[in-house]
Amino acid sequence: MPRIFDFTHAVLRRPGESAIKGLRADGGPDPTFAGVAAEHTAYAAALEAAGLELTLLDPLEDFPDALFVEDPALVFTAGAVLLNPGAPSRAGEAALLRPALEQHFGQVLALGDGHADGGDVLAMPDRVFIGLSARTDRIGAAALARLLDQFGQRAEVVETPPEVLHLKTACSLIDEETVLATRALAQSGIFSDYRVIEVPQAERGGANVLRVNKHLLVGATYPAIADLLANYGATVVQLENREIAKIDAGFTCMSLRWRAV
Ligand code: CIR
């Protein structure tokens, strides 16, 4: 029986040179393009090493944040969903993903109303959490819940802690029963049906990790998280993310992953 993190394929988009001007919440310095490109290449290699067949899309210079493909879209074995990203500068990204998704999925649904970012969506085996945030509003969350219903997925709309960009900035799936979560999310009670591993306060920026098959990708700057995750049936792979972190990158948002049947 395949598990929710057993994937066969992924779509990624290479960063353009404009990526150094990507959005960031804290107004910090630009990353270097060489650094962003190298970290993205290493991320792609890590997904291949985890067993995925990759489709690498060309950069979109007009959209600095287009490498973060899991914000304008979501994919499941049953089909894909094109979303309406909540940041105005990212509004055109979803339409530009459509051709690639239509090559892989028989069903490509589109969010009609409101705004929703894929970064606010955490899929667990029994339900899909949709976090309300500065990027995902109640109308978008409700519209997404209706589309997920068509894929046989039950949605649960939750509050995202105010200080984080996306729900998955603060939590990640580790295995089918376990989530990694910041203290704020762990204490919110939304994960009461799961085992929760609390992120150490000193490493709360590292809660976004990515489980793919037998591998768990963790930021190289978060050694305590890497240690905590050593015993969940996966090989922990530490990846450099210092440059892409300057534009608020997470590991989940840089690919769309699914299991083809
Ligand atoms: C943005 O602010 O939209 C990008 N600079 C970063 C998006 C990261 N996506 C994610 O956490 N899901």
Side-chain angles (χ1 to χ4, degrees):
M1 184 71 178
R3 297 160 303 177
I4 194 167
F5 49 80
D6 287 331
F7 302 119
T8 56
H9 291 74
V11 167
L12 286 73
R13 190 181 290 287
R14 289 196 175 91
E17 293 192 21
S18 64
I20 63 167
K21 296 297 177 195
L23 296 171
R24 68 213 70 176
D26 68 359
D30 289 355
T32 64
F33 175 65
V36 170
E39 289 173 9
H40 191 268
T41 298
Y43 172 78
L47 293 185
E48 279 191 314
L52 302 195
E53 183 181 323
L54 305 188
T55 300
L56 276 166
L57 305 177
D58 290 337
L60 294 174
E61 292 296 352
D62 289 345
F63 294 93
D65 290 297
L67 69 155
F68 303 118
V69 286
E70 206 204 38
D71 290 321
L74 281 173
V75 297
F76 301 88
T77 294
V81 182
L82 292 170
L83 299 166
N84 293 337
S89 67
R90 305 196 60 185
E93 291 179 27
L96 294 165
L97 273 173
R98 181 181 277 280
L101 296 182
E102 283 181 343
Q103 281 183 10
H104 292 285
F105 295 94
Q107 276 204 91
V108 179
L109 307 179
L111 192 81
D113 305 321
H115 293 102
D117 274 19
D120 282 316
V121 179
L122 175 70
M124 294 298 292
D126 63 337
R127 77 194 88 162
V128 179
F129 290 98
I130 305 174
L132 299 170
S133 72
R135 302 285 179 89
T136 297
D137 56 28
R138 282 192 187 277
I139 296 173
L144 178 56
R146 287 193 294 274
L147 296 183
L148 292 175
D149 190 53
Q150 293 186 42
F151 292 155
Q153 309 260 11
R154 177 168 78 90
E156 180 173 335
V157 178
V158 297
E159 297 288 340
T160 298
E163 72 279 7
V164 299
L165 172 60
H166 287 120
L167 178 66
K168 279 188 297 196
T169 311
C171 62
S172 307
L173 170 142
I174 303 303
D175 63 27
E176 295 206 294
E177 294 89 39
T178 312
V179 293
L180 175 72
T182 58
R183 180 170 299 172
L185 260 192
Q187 291 180 349
S188 74
I190 66 169
F191 295 131
S192 57
D193 291 341
Y194 308 97
R195 182 188 301 121
V196 179
I197 306 168
E198 193 173 303
V199 173
Q201 280 293 92
E203 294 194 0
R204 60 187 175 279
N208 182 277
V209 304
L210 176 58
R211 179 78 193 256
V212 178
N213 301 332
K214 293 198 169 75
H215 291 188
L216 245 174
L217 311 189
V218 178
T221 45
Y222 301 109
I225 293 176
D227 281 351
L228 276 174
L229 299 179
N231 297 313
Y232 288 88
T235 302
V236 173
V237 177
Q238 291 184 262
L239 277 183
E240 272 309 332
N241 64 342
R242 281 171 217 270
E243 292 302 305
I244 45 177
K246 292 176 182 167
I247 46 172
D248 296 346
F251 292 129
T252 53
C253 59
M254 293 195 292
S255 59
L256 289 162
R257 307 154 300 278
W258 73 98
R259 180 174 50 80
V261 288

